[in-house]
Amino acid sequence: RLDMGTSGLLVMARGLQAQRHLQRQFAQRQAEKGYIAIVQGQPVAEPMQWHTIDAPLIVDWPNRPRSIIDTTHGKPSRTCWRIVPAGAQHPGLAAHFYRPDAPHALVELAPETGRSHQIRVHMQSIGHAVAGDNLYGDTANQHMAPRLLLHAWFLGLLHPLTGQWVQWQCPADFGG
């Protein structure tokens, strides 16, 4: 599943058995997911070096649909991320794409778990909300883009009928 504002790839089952097979792969973390995002500000990190955000999440019931980090009651949530250097070629990007006028960075993300709003909450928690995020971004963030600049560019899993590994890529253009 994707958050409503997130663009990109998703998979749909054709039948109950296929659905159960796909759900099991995601639950057991066998499926591979790759995202690309433009985030507010410029994280201080080595480009192309993976970093991990390990912060448990829970739905913020009084403020639904928001989620929050909660070290007492939250479910384990883990997101790996890295900066994509300016001008670098990346299979998750179209040749031209929208770049905000405000300070920003392009990041690749690989969530190991799949909690609601996980990428958005995790990036906001380190001070770099996804550009155009009307739930987790501040006013300046929301003015960076006309929509959420988060895109599911890669998906890989075992085909529910053949058992063969299949994968798809869909580069982000972010309206560019």
Side-chain angles (χ1 to χ4, degrees):
R1 67 180 190 258
L2 295 177
D3 291 348
M4 188 182 327
T6 303
S7 59
L9 295 167
L10 56 93
V11 65
M12 295 181 148
R14 292 182 63 185
L16 187 56
Q17 280 189 319
Q19 179 184 356
R20 287 181 179 147
H21 187 271
L22 292 171
Q23 285 177 325
R24 189 170 30 256
Q25 285 186 69
F26 282 97
Q28 295 175 353
R29 301 180 186 155
Q30 295 171 325
E32 292 182 17
K33 305 167 283 188
Y35 291 78
I36 200 98
I38 294 177
V39 298
Q40 185 175 18
Q42 298 172 336
V44 178
E46 285 294 318
M48 298 308 289
Q49 181 178 350
W50 285 103
H51 305 275
T52 301
I53 302 168
D54 199 350
L57 298 178
I58 190 169
V59 173
D60 184 7
W61 286 105
N63 298 300
R64 282 183 313 254
R66 292 176 54 94
S67 291
I68 57 172
I69 293 172
D70 184 326
T71 56
T72 304
H73 301 99
K75 293 182 180 178
S77 306
R78 188 179 184 116
T79 303
C80 298
W81 66 277
R82 64 183 176 180
I83 297 172
V84 177
Q89 296 291 324
H90 188 283
L93 287 174
H96 302 291
F97 59 94
Y98 177 83
R99 288 257 193 197
D101 289 332
H104 66 278
L106 181 65
V107 296
E108 180 178 7
L109 302 122
E112 292 182 11
T113 52
R115 310 284 178 227
S116 292
H117 300 179
Q118 177 177 318
I119 290 172
R120 297 163 68 182
V121 174
H122 278 175
M123 292 310 294
Q124 186 269 341
S125 77
I126 62 167
H128 300 287
V130 176
D133 193 333
N134 62 2
L135 276 180
Y136 301 100
D138 58 20
T139 302
N141 173 285
Q142 293 169 22
H143 285 96
M144 289 177 70
R147 71 171 194 88
L148 182 67
L149 298 185
L150 176 61
H151 181 81
W153 77 273
F154 177 84
L155 181 60
L157 49 80
L158 297 172
H159 191 282
L161 294 179
T162 67
Q164 296 280 22
W165 180 258
V166 291
Q167 60 187 43
W168 301 271
Q169 294 182 9
C170 176
D173 67 10
F174 292 134

